[in-house]
Amino acid sequence: MSPGLSPFAMSEDQRSDAGLPSPEDVLPENMFAAPMVKSDTAQVVHEAAGEYLTFCVGREEYGIDILRVQEIRVYDPPTRIPHAPDYIKGVMNLRGLIVPVVDTRLKLGQGDTPIHVFSVVIIVRVTGQLWGFLVDAVNDVLMFNGASIRPVPAFDGSVDTRYMKGIGNLKGRIVVLTDIDRFLSTEDLAALRSL
C-alpha cells in the first residue's frame, strides 16, 4: 500500500490484494443513504424536465406538461352538478363530450377563483378522461431542463406535495411543476364517478 493512500481511495482490487475490507463493510449501513437520495432526486428531476404550459393560480405560477394539454378554452360558466364537491364548478360540453371543470384555486385551498377577462379552462386528459381546470390566467410555454428544476422541499407532512414534480427556477421565475395525474386524489376521482 502506498504511504498516505487511504483504503477509501483505493480500488476494490487494491483493497482486496491488501486484505482490507471495503468501506461498506466498515462504515454504518445508513452512511450510504445520502447518495441514494441524491440519485433518486436526480432521477425525479430528470423525469420532470420538458416543456410546460405555465399558468397563474392566485399569485403563484404553476406548470403542466405541455403534452398533456388538449386545449385552452375561454371560461364559460359550467352547468352545476348537485352534490358535487365544492371545487367542482360543474360540467361543460366540449364538442359533445361532458367535461368536469375543477376550480384549481379552490382545490389548492386558496378560495374561489374570481372570474375575469383572463380566466381560462385548461383541458387535459387525466386517467383516460378529459378534465377542465379553471385557472386565473395562462402565461406561456417554458422549457425546463434538469439544471432549472429543484426537488420538492421535504415538509413534515403538513403540506400535500404529491402533485408536485419539482420546482422550476428559470431566470428568477419560480414555477411549481405539477403532476396532473396526482392532482386529483383517488378519493376525488371515486367521489366524482359516483355522481
Side-chain angles (χ1 to χ4, degrees):
M1 180 162 78
S2 303
L5 185 60
S6 163
F8 297 102
M10 299 171 74
S11 71
E12 189 66 40
D13 290 337
Q14 288 174 321
R15 277 194 300 276
S16 179
D17 291 343
L20 298 171
S22 71
E24 291 85 358
D25 295 334
V26 175
L27 297 173
E29 184 177 335
N30 64 356
M31 182 80 162
F32 292 95
M36 292 294 286
V37 172
K38 283 186 181 176
S39 174
D40 290 347
T41 299
Q43 178 69 21
V44 168
V45 167
H46 175 72
E47 289 174 0
E51 285 187 306
Y52 286 80
L53 173 69
T54 61
F55 56 91
C56 292
V57 176
R59 295 171 60 182
E60 284 74 43
E61 193 169 13
Y62 292 80
I64 182 172
D65 183 344
I66 191 69
L67 298 177
R68 301 298 301 275
V69 176
Q70 301 287 314
E71 64 183 272
I72 300 167
R73 309 263 311 182
V74 173
Y75 180 75
D76 191 25
T79 302
R80 296 286 305 169
I81 300 294
H83 310 293
D86 45 341
Y87 60 86
I88 298 295
K89 296 293 275 185
V91 294
M92 62 187 285
N93 183 341
L94 182 66
R95 294 181 296 280
L97 295 172
I98 302 302
V99 178
V101 178
V102 174
D103 185 330
T104 308
R105 232 193 225 210
L106 201 55
K107 180 67 175 133
L108 291 171
Q110 298 178 14
D112 286 320
T113 300
I115 304 304
H116 49 77
V117 69
F118 298 111
S119 299
V120 295
V121 177
I122 302 172
I123 307 295
V124 298
R125 188 168 296 278
V126 180
T127 64
Q129 179 180 340
L130 290 179
W131 289 81
F133 290 89
L134 172 62
V135 300
D136 290 308
V138 167
N139 293 338
D140 48 14
V141 176
L142 297 175
M143 178 66 187
F144 290 94
N145 59 29
S148 59
I149 300 173
R150 299 291 174 261
V152 177
F155 294 99
D156 60 0
S158 60
V159 178
D160 182 6
T161 60
R162 68 179 166 221
Y163 67 90
M164 297 181 194
K165 285 183 174 181
I167 306 295
N169 186 354
L170 198 61
K171 297 180 183 174
R173 285 173 71 176
I174 302 297
V175 179
V176 178
L177 305 178
T178 59
D179 181 345
I180 198 65
D181 289 320
R182 293 183 176 184
F183 189 77
L184 295 173
S185 70
T186 308
E187 296 80 20
D188 292 333
L189 295 171
L192 293 171
R193 286 188 186 110
S194 68
L195 293 177

